[in-house]
């Protein structure tokens, strides 16, 4: 349990590293007929058998105790007392998943899951969806029967017949309630499974793990040094720019204090980056740094177990954001945008928080991998046919920014095994870090197509005039149906890693560091970071 600390009467909500838990799902309640029992047992068998084939899924689909009437009609299935508890929790939200497309493109989806090393259970999703369709038909049939009985009672009916119809109506109502409850639970179970399916993949994306990624572009060459190279940790210590030890005492490992010119360097990077990206028509934002867990999930981030990258706030449904992509994606949640408003381009500054679970070793020392950092993020909402074009625009903006800072880097078209669930295609930029003796990722740009917008509920209404199929003469214009927008995101500046690059690439033999020219006006004209006088 988190510790509640009080200062001056104010309660401070503590943080706890925790994944957003999956909700348990039940598939039945009290049963009233042998037919219902048979159907429910079949449904339960489908769910439990399918889940047992995939060890990554841990949903305990449980059956509650049978009613006395059901017990008399069917042999006892489960006499365990705890079976009467309903473990089902209804999901907080539903994605607008195209299940028809899943059925029609089963082979392509299966290949996509294989290429992306996904543990999503496509067979279970299809099985659940087919069961859902059948159950929906049963519900519709029962509703029709119930309406038929109700209509018969409207006319003149003999007392005996009326009583019979009343009893029949009650039975139909009772059966309908049971089926509708099953329908809700099956729908929720289907959603939970279907939300695990990642986005489709661009046909040009290389197949395989990270090593299969293809170099798209190389800019510059590594600087040749005529003196022993220092890494950013040593440079920062000698120039009095960081304090990792004090931060570890105050906050824990992988936190840091920036000092002196490093503070100005951070502010300079942020302001220079914002000014450059705003020239491209992006609207600047600062964002909330706490988001509801459902928004985190809708953006495609689903923390799991010990490897979660999300700091969740204990006792609430909130999380610290790991990227501004999350709050920016939530701005237009559950809305229909005007066609004329697209594209919407945002450049957002925020602090980001990541647990970096499992990260250790010399390759992650210093500022390279930390729990809290500043970042400038680009985010675009656009029409579907434009997302590939804007993806190219985003990576070109990133390449232009890093070229102006004089960095040597390479742009990679990332392979399928390295794509996150939302990404249709992703470019990474890795810059040369001489002190670390390797390339390190400093940026990425992803086209998420409609994966996030289907979850966030962000649509637009095309301005294509009147829909002739639905328009009525003399009734004016009939609007065309809304479509889901495409979303894209890209890192313009992840401050700590940029500081790593700049310190290590611009170090001088005397231990000082030259400030790149574009940043000098944003740092009060400082040209060189020098040793402090004692």
């Amino acid at each position: 349990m988190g510790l509640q600390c009080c200062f001056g009467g104010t309660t401070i909500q503590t943080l706890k590293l925790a994944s957003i838990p999956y909700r348990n799902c039940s598939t039945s309640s009290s049963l009233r007929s042998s037919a219902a029992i048979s159907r429910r047992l079949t449904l339960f068998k489908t769910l439990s058998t399918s889940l047992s084939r995939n060890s990554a899924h841990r949903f305990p689909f449980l059956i509650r105790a049978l009613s006395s009437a059901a017990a008399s009609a069917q042999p006892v299935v489960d006499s365990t007392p705890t079976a009467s508890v309903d473990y089902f929790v209804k999901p907080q939200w539903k994605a607008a998943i195209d299940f028809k497309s899943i059925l029609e493109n089963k082979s392509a989806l299966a290949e996509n899951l294989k290429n992306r090393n996904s543990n999503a259970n496509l067979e279970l999703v299809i099985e659940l969806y087919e069961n859902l369709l059948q159950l929906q038909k049963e519900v519709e049939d029962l509703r029709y029967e119930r309406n038929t009985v109700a209509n018969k009672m409207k006319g003149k009916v003999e007392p005996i017949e009326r009583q019979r119809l009343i009893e029949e109506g009650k039975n139909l109502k009772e059966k309908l309630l049971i089926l509708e409850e099953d329908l809700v639970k099956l729908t929720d179970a289907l959603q939970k499974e279907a939300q695990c399916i990642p986005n489709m993949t661009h046909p040009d994306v290389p197949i395989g793990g990270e090593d299969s990624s293809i170099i798209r572009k190389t800019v510059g060459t590594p600087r040749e040094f005529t003196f022993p190279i220092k890494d950013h940790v040593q440079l920062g210590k000698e120039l009095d720019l960081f304090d990792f030890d004090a931060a570890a005492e105050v906050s824990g490992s992988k936190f840091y204090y920036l000092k002196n010119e490093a503070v100005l360097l951070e502010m300079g990077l942020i302001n220079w980056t914002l000014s450059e990206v705003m020239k491209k028509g992006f609207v600047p934002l600062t964002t909330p740094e706490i988001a509801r867990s459902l928004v985190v999930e809708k953006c495609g981030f689903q923390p799991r177990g010990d490897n979660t990258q999300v700091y969740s706030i204990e006792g609430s449904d909130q999380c610290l954001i790991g990227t501004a992509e999350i709050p920016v994606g939530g701005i237009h949640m559950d809305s229909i945008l005007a066609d004329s408003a697209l594209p919407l381009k945002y450049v957002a500054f925020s602090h980001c928080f990541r647990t970096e679970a499992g990260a250790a070793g010399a390759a992650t020392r210093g500022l390279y991998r930390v729990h809290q950092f500043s970042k400038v993020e680009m985010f675009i909402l656009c029409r579907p046919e434009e997302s590939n074009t804007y993806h190219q625009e985003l990576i070109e903006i990133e390449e232009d920014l890093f070229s102006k800072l004089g960095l040597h880097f390479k742009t990679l078209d990332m392979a399928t095994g390295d794509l996150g669930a939302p990404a249709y295609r992703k470019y990474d930029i890795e810059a040369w870090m001489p002190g670390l003796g390797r390339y390190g990722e400093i940026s990425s740009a992803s086209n998420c197509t409609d994966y996030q917008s289907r979850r966030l509920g962000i649509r637009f209404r095309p301005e294509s005039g009147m829909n002739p199929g639905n328009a009525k003469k003399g009734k004016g214009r009939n609007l065309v149906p809304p479509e889901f927008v495409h979303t894209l995101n890209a890192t313009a500046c992840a401050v700590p890693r940029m500081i790593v690059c700049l310190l290590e690439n611009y170090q001088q033999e005397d231990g000082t560091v030259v400030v790149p020219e574009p940043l000098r006006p944003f740092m009060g004209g400082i040209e060189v970071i020098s040793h402090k006088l004692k």
Side-chain angles (χ1 to χ4, degrees), residues 515-532:
V515 176
E517 287 189 18
L519 300 180
R520 294 174 187 176
F522 297 88
M523 294 180 59
I526 296 175
E527 297 182 3
V528 178
I529 301 175
S530 303
H531 296 89
K532 309 301 177 290

Side-chain angles (χ1 to χ4, degrees), residues 89-137:
V89 179
K90 187 176 179 180
Q92 293 180 327
W93 60 278
K94 288 184 174 62
I97 297 171
D98 189 347
F99 291 106
K100 183 179 179 182
S101 177
I102 290 177
L103 285 177
E104 294 174 347
N105 299 282
K106 178 181 176 181
S107 298
L109 262 74
E111 185 68 17
N112 187 53
L113 294 179
K114 177 182 176 182
N115 292 339
R116 295 174 74 126
N117 297 322
S118 172
N119 60 9
N121 195 330
L122 179 60
E123 292 295 333
L124 176 57
V125 170
I126 292 174
E127 198 165 357
L128 288 172
Y129 181 60
E130 290 174 342
N131 286 341
L132 181 69
L133 293 178
Q134 182 177 348
L135 188 54
Q136 285 175 335
K137 186 179 184 305

